[in-house]
Amino acid sequence: MASINAWRDGNETLIQNFVPDDGRTRPHPKPRRLKNGKMSKVTPLPEPDEYSCLVRAKSKKKKISTVISAADAMKFQLQFAQFLRSNMDGLKKEKKTKKKVKKATQ
Amino acid sequence: MVYIDSFDDFEKAAERVYLNAPMKTRCVMKYDHVNSCLKVKVTDNVVCLQYKTDSQQELKKLEKLISNLMKHMASGER
């Protein structure tokens, strides 16, 4: 988490990707045709206890990623907001129109 | 690719896409410092929604949207 927020390769294009993650490391099993002509039995993958969010960040030189669980989501969100505001400074700021305050004549 | 003009339309469409297919939806954010442009894409591999901005104000709104999506992704999916 800290490595993603602390990393920025100067003035380059930065791509961030947010994908839901169910913790699977294998593909979903598919029924296959056996030599005796029957289809193989397939036990489906167990449902995960916890879902999480996979976050990837990529620049020209580096690629990093991390998994955020429900417990870490709040902490990550605060750091992420801070990171966006401080580092994405190339975007245009809206000019505030100053209202002229007339001095009260005595 | 076509970009959505209004942020409100983009936000509603993105939430709709996510609720229809929570496990297939991904959100991609691309920041280009040289061209001072921030592009956000939300897609479920069928529908693709894109939004482009160069404003700090809209960055804050986009950050809230992405944080919401991230919280939903990290919570229990049904």
Side-chain angles (χ1 to χ4, degrees):
Chain A
M1 229 188 296
S3 61
I4 282 186
N5 289 330
W7 166 66
R8 187 182 169 220
D9 277 352
N11 295 338
E12 287 185 356
T13 307
L14 184 67
I15 299 172
Q16 289 181 326
N17 206 345
F18 297 85
V19 177
D21 179 36
D22 52 3
R24 300 193 275 127
T25 51
R26 295 177 185 180
H28 286 294
K30 206 172 168 181
R32 307 278 176 192
R33 193 170 287 280
L34 300 170
K35 282 182 182 174
N36 57 10
K38 293 180 185 175
M39 297 297 281
S40 64
K41 286 181 186 176
V42 160
T43 50
L45 290 174
E47 280 220 20
D49 296 329
E50 263 189 25
Y51 287 90
S52 46
C53 181
L54 172 64
V55 182
R56 294 188 191 110
K58 178 190 159 189
S59 83
K60 215 172 176 180
K61 294 175 188 173
K62 261 190 200 175
K63 280 183 190 178
I64 52 176
S65 62
T66 187
V67 171
I68 299 164
S69 61
D72 296 330
M74 194 67 196
K75 199 176 166 186
F76 183 85
Q77 188 199 344
L78 293 169
Q79 288 184 349
F80 184 62
Q82 207 179 350
F83 163 76
L84 283 186
R85 279 170 211 165
S86 60
N87 286 330
M88 294 190 177
D89 47 8
L91 299 173
K92 291 172 193 170
K93 290 177 188 173
E94 283 179 14
K95 288 180 185 176
K96 288 182 185 175
T97 50
K98 287 184 184 176
K99 290 179 186 176
K100 288 182 183 176
V101 178
K102 289 181 183 175
K103 286 183 186 176
T105 52
Q106 290 184 352
Chain B
M1 291 291 281
V2 176
Y3 293 94
I4 297 175
D5 295 324
S6 154
F7 177 76
D8 293 327
D9 292 342
F10 174 73
E11 191 179 9
K12 285 174 193 167
E15 282 171 8
R16 211 179 310 130
V17 162
Y18 178 75
L19 291 171
N20 280 339
M23 287 310 291
K24 289 185 180 178
T25 307
R26 68 179 182 277
C27 177
V28 183
M29 188 163 71
K30 182 174 180 179
Y31 172 65
D32 190 356
H33 187 89
V34 172
N35 298 323
S36 68
C37 174
L38 177 69
K39 293 178 187 172
V40 178
K41 176 165 93 172
V42 175
T43 178
D44 65 347
N45 300 327
V46 175
V47 174
C48 180
L49 307 164
Q50 286 188 309
Y51 187 74
K52 184 167 68 170
T53 183
D54 57 358
S55 157
Q56 284 267 0
Q57 282 281 331
E58 299 205 325
L59 166 66
K60 293 175 190 174
K61 293 181 196 173
L62 282 168
E63 181 266 315
K64 278 183 189 168
L65 171 67
I66 290 172
S67 301
N68 269 337
L69 283 175
M70 190 176 62
K71 276 186 190 168
H72 279 294
M73 286 176 188
S75 67
E77 297 281 348
R78 298 289 162 193

